[in-house]
Amino acid sequence: MSDVVAAINLLQEHYYVSLPPFIHRAAVAALTGPQDCVDELTAVYERRRDLFVVGVRDAGWPVDVPRSIFAWLPIPGHQKSAEFADDLLTRARVAVAHGHWFGEHGEGYVRVSLLAPEERLREAVARLAAFSRSTGDLL
């Protein structure tokens, strides 16, 4: 039995504690090498963010420009974030994360991922705009 425990400890050390040297070299290369791909990806995410923010603002949603890959949309009225997220999914076919999943300050908001391709974000914005027109109770 002690042989099994020793083998598990050795595996754990190599997989979870001490990264192998080739991983260290890869990290150094990624951090000190050309950053063109990082700049390109940043530009893609900025376009997606801007497309989404302009679209939902045009639909009447007061949203701050996110500083991450997620946008937080305030929900109208006194509805709970879970109920509102369910309404969006059912009626607008837009999936969002309930704000309460992210702690006490998340309630009153839903979180939208901006990682989808631009065309999908345009579609989501159009659906959110139609939803807000149909409900008439947007902020």
Side-chain angles (χ1 to χ4, degrees), residues 85 88-90 92-97 110-113 120 124 127-128:
L88 283 179
L89 183 59
T90 303
R93 296 185 0 230
V94 175
V96 296
V110 292
R111 189 180 84 165
V112 179
S113 170
R120 292 286 295 175
R127 290 178 183 190
L128 288 168

Side-chain angles (χ1 to χ4, degrees), residues 1 12 15 23 33 38 68 73-74 76 83 93-94 97 101 103 124 131:
M1 182 67 157
Q12 178 186 354
Y15 281 117
I23 298 290
V38 174
S68 73
L73 299 178
E83 181 182 352
R93 296 185 0 230
V94 175
W101 286 345
F131 176 83

Side-chain angles (χ1 to χ4, degrees), residues 7 26 28 43 56 59 71 75 79-80 91 95 99 103 107 113 128 133 138:
V28 168
V56 295
I75 60 175
Q79 202 171 21
K80 295 289 187 186
R91 296 171 55 198
E107 186 56 61
S113 170
L128 288 168
R133 284 191 304 274
L138 195 57

Side-chain angles (χ1 to χ4, degrees), residues 49 52-54 56-57 61-67 70-74 109 114:
R49 176 203 63 203
F52 185 82
V53 167
V54 167
V56 295
R57 281 181 176 172
W61 236 296
V63 61
D64 293 329
V65 175
R67 297 182 62 166
F70 301 105
W72 288 88
L73 299 178
Y109 295 86
L114 302 176

